[in-house]
């Protein structure tokens, strides 16, 4: 056949893209990691690799064995296939950064790059069939794909898969509203012959259709067969007892499972699947089968199986007394929990089984277990700081999650979380006890870190009209929060934009001292004292008479030393909420601006109950706005860190004796201070003595879970400096709406992508391009009212692939079926219009109400 010899086939295109990477001239033979969690690429890669075109590793072996194989095999250009997402790579993670490319893409995205555009309103219909078509048409030319796939010509029978699925899913609806009378027998035959399901009941109505009650009973029986068959596939060594409901192995089973998968992905039919699945479960013994399993199978599609398995796990974990036993079991179950968290009832159902929460707790336990007794290896304060700034901060991120209030956890998970909270608290105490001992023996100065102001001095000195700088000064930004903020700024960028540098807070680690030491170029000129009665901190600098512990005086010093306008001092709120980007830009305010944010430190000693994700995203948005305003460099500094703690009675120590001038929960300053256990040092840049309780102990507490700072734990005294830099000529990536013509659902997915999409899968990305966050709005041009909007903003990345954005109906939206609506893609930060199209409304807006 001539098409077999064509050079523009999918096989030849795939080979070409892979060989472009593998034939690169590099210091070491390049290799590709190909992530394929759904398993659609394995056979395609095997076929592409035939005739020794390239070396392919595609054995389904444990990642630990794969890592050993990789280390023991001579380095060569090859493709390494992994049946997981990029985020799920575990033991092979260490080699991810060495890969020339890490691929994770859908067939629809690959076909788009090949040259086949699949309209988003047909994607749901086509997606289940793409893997088989890709295998069958692997050696067909591009034009064949365009002619036979892009037009959606997949099924042409009297009752195609669309009609069959609607007939099966439309619980409470008579068949006469779905198909014509002459097709009832075809529907029944397809149920038996193509899908292995029960036949339709005999005709009982005068209209030639089964009665509604009988039809709904058939639907429940058919779904019961689907669920029991699915369970038998997931646990073949111990299949359910409902053997008469198991579809026989073969084409019918394969088609039935594809139908089930498709049903779960079709948004307008999901509600009916969940309704029928619950009723179908009652016709089976699946709940008792799941209760008796001694091993966790793969995720199943039966709701009663998933709820029962989850309850089994929680009850089993609750019986484990020690943290070591709990962590060991949780860690061993991570792959299984991952499977269930990604399954239908764990990820997409309306009434979800909280596997994702159990998975998160398991990963937290694994990290806590990994760093148990890590402090035994520390010999110096530098050892402690090095571990904390490279790995240890991740444990604090876990701690933040554990202490976040989450009313949706349920009693079983709350019990597990409580045990992990105690484990984190012990870790916090244990590591800082060792750190305190090292500091007490070697002194605070042995930490050997600069103050935050010294770190940003070179950045500030380089500020110019051509390279303006913004300094974001945050109150109480712990090191792990700085790392998370940097990760937010690097997300979606073609190269690393944000880097982390280490600094230290003064002692005591409080705002009054920390803020002056965060000022650029001044730390060596500062003097710290306590004056008045009661004593207050007073920080002065050579040549400046003002008290720098006062915010207005710090601003005065900055204006004097850097010749700044009054308008060069902004709040985070002003940056985010200002209508005009130009008015906060360098042309309006000057080459150097300072932005103040204090969302993290509540100054009342209590824990924020909602966690810190929202605060960090707010700061990230402020930084993106500053970038849009023309500041090519943004540096983030802070005054001190903090930790959360609920001290026991024996962890509240008596105050030291001596002449106490100033006191807090975590530090006391004065003269002739004596304490049998506390760290004795001097206040930074002062002759005043300072007494700090060791580890996370306190001199007093307010009761409850507290927000502590002022002392010398790693969390309080080691602070982040985040420096974000972009090219001077940088510009945001454009974004476009992919072809879509109709709005057919109240919750529909719209495909978007970068406007400058790469023709080559592995081509270099222009580092001058910046990512951007976008939203979609669909409005009625006649009234101007927004009818639909995206549920959240979406990140568009330079070199990124097509992604689906879910839009939902706005409350009160009104428009007639057939109306032509405007669909607009907007930048979420400044609402710049990036693309727009017209779309036809094909659904009643009050259909579900």
């Amino acid at each position: 056949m001539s098409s077999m010899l064509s050079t523009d086939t999918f096989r030849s295109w795939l080979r070409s893209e892979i060989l472009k990477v593998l034939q690169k001239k590099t210091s070491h033979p390049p290799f590709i990691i190909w992530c394929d969690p759904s398993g659609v690429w394995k056979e395609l890669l095997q076929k592409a690799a035939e005739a020794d075109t390239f070396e392919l590793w595609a054995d389904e072996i444990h990642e630990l064995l794969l890592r050993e194989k990789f280390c023991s095999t001579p380095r060569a250009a090859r493709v390494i296939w992994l049946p997981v997402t990029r985020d799920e790579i575990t033991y092979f993670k260490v080699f991810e950064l060495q890969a020339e490319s890490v691929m994770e893409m859908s067939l629809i995205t690959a076909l788009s790059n090949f040259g086949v555009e699949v309209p988003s309103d047909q994607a749901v219909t086509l997606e289940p069939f793409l893997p088989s078509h890709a295998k069958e048409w692997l050696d067909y030319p591009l034009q064949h794909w365009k002619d036979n796939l892009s037009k959606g010509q997949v099924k042409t029978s009297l009752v195609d898969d669309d009609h069959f699925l609607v007939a099966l899913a439309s619980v409470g609806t008579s068949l006469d509203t779905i198909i014509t009378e002459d097709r009832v027998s075809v529907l029944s035959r397809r149920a038996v012959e193509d899908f292995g399901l029960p036949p339709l009941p005999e005709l009982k109505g005068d209209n030639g259709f089964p009665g509604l009650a009988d039809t709904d009973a058939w639907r429940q029986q058919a779904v019961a067969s689907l669920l029991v068959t699915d369970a038998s596939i997931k646990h073949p060594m111990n299949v359910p007892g409902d053997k008469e409901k198991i579809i026989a192995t073969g084409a019918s089973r394969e088609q039935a499972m594809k139908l089930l998968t498709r049903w779960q992905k079709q948004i307008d039919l999901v509600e009916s699947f969940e309704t029928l699945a619950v009723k179908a479960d009652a016709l089976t013994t699946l709940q008792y089968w799941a209760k008796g399993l001694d091993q966790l199978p793969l995720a199943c599609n039966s709701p009663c199986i998933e709820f029962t398995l989850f309850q089994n796990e929680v009850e089993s974990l609750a019986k484990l007394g020690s943290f070591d036993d709990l962590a060991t079991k949780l860690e061993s179950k991570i792959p299984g929990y991952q499977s269930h968290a990604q399954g239908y009832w764990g990820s997409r159902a309306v009434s979800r089984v909280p596997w994702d929460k159990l998975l998160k707790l398991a990963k937290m336990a694994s990290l806590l277990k990994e760093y148990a007794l890590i402090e035994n290896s520390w010999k110096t304060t530098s050892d402690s700081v090095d571990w904390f700034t490279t790995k240890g901060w991740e444990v604090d991120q876990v701690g933040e999650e554990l202490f976040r209030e989450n009313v949706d956890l349920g009693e079983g998970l709350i019990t597990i979380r409580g045990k992990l909270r105690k484990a984190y608290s012990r870790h916090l105490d244990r590591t800082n006890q060792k750190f305190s001992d090292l500091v007490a023996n070697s002194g605070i100065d042995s930490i050997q870190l600069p103050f935050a102001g010294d770190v940003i001095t070179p950045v500030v000195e380089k500020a110019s009209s051509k390279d303006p700088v913004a300094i974001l000064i945050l109150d109480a930004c712990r090191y792990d929060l700085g790392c998370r903020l940097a990760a937010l700024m690097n997300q979606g960028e073609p190269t690393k934009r944000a880097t982390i540098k280490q600094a230290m807070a003064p002692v005591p680690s409080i705002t009054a001292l920390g803020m002056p030491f965060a000022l650029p170029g001044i730390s060596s000129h500062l003097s710290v004292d306590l004056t008045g009665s009661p004593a207050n901190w007073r920080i002065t600098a050579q040549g400046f008479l003002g008290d720098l512990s006062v915010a207005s005086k710090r601003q005065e010093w900055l204006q004097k030393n850097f010749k700044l306008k009054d308008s060069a001092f902004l709040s985070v709120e002003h940056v985010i909420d200002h209508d005009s980007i130009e008015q906060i830009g360098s042309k309006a305010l000057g080459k150097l601006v300072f932005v103040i944010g204090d969302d993290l430190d509540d100054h009342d000693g209590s824990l924020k109950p909602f966690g810190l994700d929202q605060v960090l995203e707010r700061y990230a948005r402020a930084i993106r706005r500053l970038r849009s305003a023309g500041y090519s460099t943004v540096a983030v500094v802070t005054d001190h860190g903090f930790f959360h703690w609920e001290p026991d009675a024996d962890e509240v120590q008596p105050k030291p004796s001596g002449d106490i001038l100033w006191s807090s929960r975590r530090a006391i300053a004065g003269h002739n201070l004596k304490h049998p256990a506390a760290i004795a040092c001097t206040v930074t840049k002062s002759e005043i003595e300072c007494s700090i309780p060791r580890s996370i102990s306190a001199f007093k507490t307010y009761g409850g879970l507290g927000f502590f700072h002022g002392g010398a734990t790693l969390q309080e005294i080691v602070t982040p400096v985040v420096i974000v830099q972009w090219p001077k000529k940088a510009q945001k990536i454009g974004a476009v709406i992919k072809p879509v013509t109709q709005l057919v659902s109240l919750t529909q997915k719209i495909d978007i992508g970068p406007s400058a999409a790469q023709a080559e899968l592995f081509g270099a990305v222009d580092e001058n391009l910046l990512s951007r966050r976008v939203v979609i709005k669909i409005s009625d041009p006649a009234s101007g009212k927004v009818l639909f909007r995206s549920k959240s903003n979406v990140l568009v990345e330079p070199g990124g692939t097509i992604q689906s954005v879910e839009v939902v109906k706005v409350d009160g939206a009104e428009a007639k079926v057939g109306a032509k609506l405007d669909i607009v893609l907007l930048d979420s930060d400044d609402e710049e219009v990036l693309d727009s199209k017209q779309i036809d409304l094909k659904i009643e807006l009050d259909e579900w109400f």
Side-chain angles (χ1 to χ4, degrees):
M1 185 164 101
S2 60
S3 63
M4 300 293 288
L5 304 175
S6 177
T7 59
D8 66 337
T9 65
F10 191 61
R11 186 201 297 259
S12 62
W13 174 83
L14 184 58
R15 282 177 169 176
S16 174
E17 295 301 311
I18 291 172
L19 291 175
K20 285 176 185 177
V21 177
L22 299 185
Q23 292 174 355
K24 284 184 177 181
K25 302 298 183 183
T26 58
S27 57
H28 296 285
F31 66 94
I32 299 168
I33 296 176
W34 200 292
C35 295
D36 183 22
S38 58
V40 301
W41 283 102
K42 181 178 180 180
E43 188 172 340
L44 295 176
L45 290 172
Q46 288 172 331
K47 289 181 178 295
E50 288 175 356
D52 295 328
T53 305
F54 56 85
E55 183 180 350
L56 172 66
W57 287 7
D59 296 325
E60 297 192 33
I61 60 176
H62 194 280
E63 276 190 45
L64 186 58
L65 297 176
L66 178 63
R67 185 173 73 180
E68 292 175 359
K69 178 180 177 181
F70 186 87
C71 292
S72 61
T73 305
R75 188 73 169 264
R78 60 173 64 99
V79 177
I80 300 173
W81 175 86
L82 289 175
V84 295
T85 66
R86 184 171 187 169
D87 290 338
E88 293 167 6
I89 297 175
T90 54
Y91 293 98
F92 207 71
K93 194 77 174 178
V94 66
F95 299 115
E96 180 185 341
L97 294 178
Q98 298 178 26
E100 190 67 22
S101 180
V102 180
M103 287 301 303
E104 183 179 2
M105 67 187 308
S106 65
L107 270 177
I108 286 181
T109 300
L111 290 173
S112 177
N113 285 309
F114 176 46
V116 183
E117 282 290 345
V118 180
S120 62
D121 50 357
Q122 296 184 25
V124 171
T125 301
L126 294 174
E127 187 176 6
F129 306 100
L130 286 180
S132 57
H133 278 290
K135 297 169 189 174
E136 184 179 347
W137 296 351
L138 189 63
D139 293 306
Y140 282 77
L142 175 61
Q143 194 59 47
H144 179 88
W145 284 84
K146 290 182 176 181
D147 291 343
N148 293 279
L149 184 66
S150 296
K151 296 175 183 177
Q153 298 173 354
V154 180
K155 289 288 182 180
T156 57
S157 61
L158 288 174
V159 179
D160 61 17
D161 287 1
D162 289 334
H163 283 97
F164 187 89
L165 180 56
V166 170
L168 176 62
S170 299
V171 60
T173 302
S174 297
L175 289 176
D176 58 359
T177 64
I178 301 170
I179 58 174
T180 57
E181 181 182 352
D182 60 319
R183 302 190 183 187
V184 174
S185 61
V186 178
L187 177 68
S188 184
R189 193 166 63 245
R190 287 214 67 196
V192 176
E193 297 174 0
D194 294 350
F195 300 106
L197 300 175
L200 279 169
E202 294 182 5
L203 305 183
K204 292 189 177 179
D206 295 334
N207 59 358
F209 290 87
L212 177 57
D214 290 335
T215 301
D216 277 349
W218 167 76
R219 287 167 173 147
Q220 294 174 29
Q221 292 163 3
V223 173
S225 288
L226 292 173
L227 299 182
V228 173
T229 302
D230 172 72
S232 70
I233 294 171
K234 302 297 175 52
H235 205 296
M237 303 304 293
N238 180 12
V239 299
D242 307 279
K243 292 183 172 57
E244 75 284 356
K245 292 183 172 63
I246 299 176
I247 302 169
T249 302
S252 294
R253 173 185 283 195
E254 184 177 344
Q255 285 293 97
M257 292 301 99
K258 286 181 178 179
L259 185 74
L260 177 59
T261 300
R262 182 178 168 195
W263 190 354
Q264 293 171 339
K265 291 181 178 179
Q266 194 157 331
I267 295 174
D268 56 333
L269 299 180
V270 161
E271 184 179 356
S272 68
F273 168 71
E274 297 188 16
T275 299
L276 281 168
V278 172
K279 293 180 178 179
D281 271 339
L283 304 177
T284 73
T285 60
L286 290 177
Q287 181 176 3
Y288 304 101
W289 173 77
K291 189 70 176 174
L293 290 177
D294 55 4
Q295 291 183 345
L296 186 65
L298 295 174
C300 296
N301 287 300
S302 158
C304 79
I305 290 179
E306 288 299 294
F307 278 101
T308 301
L309 291 175
F310 179 81
Q311 195 59 40
N312 287 352
E313 288 298 309
V314 171
E315 291 174 0
S316 173
L317 292 166
K319 296 175 183 177
L320 300 176
S322 73
F323 169 73
D324 287 342
D325 291 342
L326 176 64
T328 298
K329 182 165 185 177
L330 283 170
E331 187 175 45
S332 70
K333 291 296 187 76
I334 287 177
Y337 296 164
Q338 188 92 48
S339 165
H340 289 267
Q342 292 174 344
Y344 178 81
W345 293 99
S347 62
R348 303 194 301 278
V350 175
S351 300
R352 296 180 188 174
V353 183
W355 287 107
D356 58 332
K357 294 181 175 63
L358 183 55
L359 173 63
K360 182 178 286 189
L361 291 173
K363 290 180 176 179
M364 291 177 181
S366 177
L367 189 67
L368 288 168
K369 179 172 177 268
E370 179 181 356
Y371 293 129
L373 304 178
I374 186 68
E375 67 279 358
N376 290 344
S377 64
W378 300 344
K379 305 301 181 185
T380 65
T381 52
S382 295
D383 293 340
S384 310
V385 173
D386 289 345
W387 172 80
F388 179 69
T389 55
T390 55
K391 301 176 182 178
W393 62 268
E394 296 176 350
V395 187
D396 291 323
Q397 186 174 346
V398 165
E400 196 67 42
E401 284 286 330
L402 288 172
F403 283 100
R404 178 190 301 192
E405 291 302 322
N406 188 338
V407 296
D408 298 327
L409 275 183
E411 183 177 348
L413 292 183
I414 287 175
T415 300
I416 297 171
R417 184 188 65 179
K419 294 179 180 180
L420 298 188
R421 277 183 172 182
K422 290 181 180 179
Y424 169 72
S425 297
R426 288 194 295 269
H427 163 88
L428 190 67
D429 186 19
R430 195 175 58 243
T431 52
N432 279 297
Q433 187 64 53
K434 181 61 176 286
F435 182 62
S436 294
D437 293 344
L438 294 171
V439 169
N441 292 333
S442 303
I444 289 288
D445 292 340
S446 67
I447 296 174
Q448 295 183 334
L449 288 177
F451 295 111
D454 297 328
V455 177
I456 63 168
T457 297
V459 177
V460 172
E461 290 175 345
K462 291 180 181 178
S464 66
S465 58
K466 293 184 178 180
D467 193 6
V469 172
I471 306 297
L472 180 57
I473 303 177
L474 304 181
D475 194 354
C477 183
R478 197 172 55 199
Y479 194 84
D480 63 296
L481 301 179
C483 293
R484 289 166 63 185
L485 182 59
L488 285 173
M489 302 317 303
N490 287 326
Q491 186 180 5
E493 295 294 329
T495 189
K496 182 181 285 190
R497 307 293 191 191
T499 56
I500 294 280
K501 296 182 181 295
Q502 295 79 40
M504 69 176 290
V507 175
S509 52
I510 58 174
T511 298
L513 274 69
M515 285 299 181
F517 282 88
L519 298 175
I522 194 177
S523 69
S524 61
H525 304 295
L526 292 176
S527 296
V528 178
D529 199 3
L530 280 167
T531 61
S533 180
N536 291 304
W537 293 105
R538 179 175 176 80
I539 294 89
T540 56
Q542 295 176 11
F544 185 76
L545 298 178
D547 179 3
L548 293 173
S549 69
V550 180
S552 61
K553 294 301 179 181
R554 293 195 292 273
Q555 178 173 329
E556 183 181 328
W557 181 87
L558 287 167
Q559 286 183 281
K560 175 183 176 182
N561 281 270
F562 296 100
K563 299 180 175 56
L564 304 177
K565 304 175 183 178
D566 288 342
S567 57
F569 297 89
L570 309 169
S571 66
V572 168
E573 289 77 8
H574 187 80
V575 171
I576 290 176
D577 299 334
H578 205 289
D579 293 334
S580 171
I581 286 285
E582 289 76 15
Q583 291 183 21
I584 62 171
S586 56
K587 291 183 179 179
L589 304 182
K591 65 181 183 181
L592 181 63
V593 297
F594 288 83
V595 182
I596 310 300
D598 62 356
D599 302 67
L600 292 168
D601 190 348
D602 55 14
H603 298 286
D604 68 358
S606 61
L607 171 63
K608 292 180 181 295
F610 50 79
L612 301 172
D613 292 347
Q614 296 176 23
V615 177
L616 292 176
E617 178 51 46
R618 181 174 173 80
Y619 288 154
R621 187 181 179 201
I623 294 172
R624 293 195 300 268
R625 292 269 293 181
L626 290 167
R627 176 192 68 189
S628 299
Y631 298 97
S632 55
T633 300
V634 177
V636 183
V637 295
T638 189
D639 52 352
H640 57 77
F642 66 92
F643 64 87
H644 290 128
W645 184 243
E646 188 172 6
D648 294 329
D650 61 349
E651 292 164 334
V652 179
Q653 299 183 4
K655 293 182 179 180
S657 60
D659 183 12
I660 296 177
L661 301 178
W662 175 90
S663 66
S664 74
R665 296 188 295 178
R666 288 284 296 149
I668 286 178
H671 298 292
N672 300 316
L673 300 179
K674 302 292 183 184
H675 194 281
I679 298 172
C681 58
T682 57
V683 172
T684 303
K685 295 293 181 178
S686 175
E687 297 300 320
I688 300 172
E689 296 175 16
C690 189
S691 184
I692 300 173
R694 296 196 184 213
S695 187
I696 50 179
S697 297
F699 287 131
K700 62 180 179 179
T701 182
Y702 304 152
L705 188 60
F707 175 94
F708 288 81
H709 64 86
T713 59
L714 289 161
Q715 288 73 18
E716 294 167 291
I717 205 165
V718 179
T719 63
V721 177
V722 183
I723 298 177
V724 195
Q725 294 179 300
W726 298 275
K728 296 176 184 178
K729 296 182 180 180
Q731 61 179 9
K732 290 184 179 181
I733 183 73
V736 295
I737 304 168
K738 292 298 180 178
V740 59
T741 57
Q742 298 177 344
L743 193 62
V744 297
S745 172
L746 297 181
T747 55
Q748 183 164 323
K749 290 186 177 180
I750 307 294
D751 285 348
I752 64 168
S755 59
Q758 294 173 233
E760 299 182 5
L761 289 183
F762 306 105
V765 178
D766 185 352
E767 293 187 1
N768 290 319
L769 290 176
L770 309 176
S771 62
R772 72 160 87 220
R773 291 191 173 273
V774 299
V775 294
I776 292 176
K777 293 182 181 180
I778 300 177
S779 59
D780 181 357
S783 64
K785 292 183 178 179
V786 176
L787 308 180
F788 291 77
R789 67 173 68 245
S790 49
K791 293 180 70 173
S792 60
N793 63 42
V794 176
L795 185 69
V796 178
E797 307 172 6
T801 58
I802 298 169
Q803 53 186 317
S804 297
V805 180
E806 188 174 353
V807 295
V808 296
K809 175 179 168 288
V810 175
D811 289 344
E814 296 180 354
K816 293 182 179 180
V817 174
K820 293 197 175 293
L821 307 178
D822 291 335
I823 176 170
V824 183
L825 185 63
L826 303 163
D827 187 296
S828 64
D829 289 331
D830 55 21
E831 297 213 331
E832 174 190 355
V833 176
L834 307 175
D835 193 14
S836 62
K837 296 182 184 298
Q838 272 204 334
I839 189 170
D840 295 330
L841 181 63
K842 294 294 184 181
I843 188 172
E844 293 282 357
L845 294 189
D846 61 351
E847 180 181 348
W848 289 354
F849 297 89

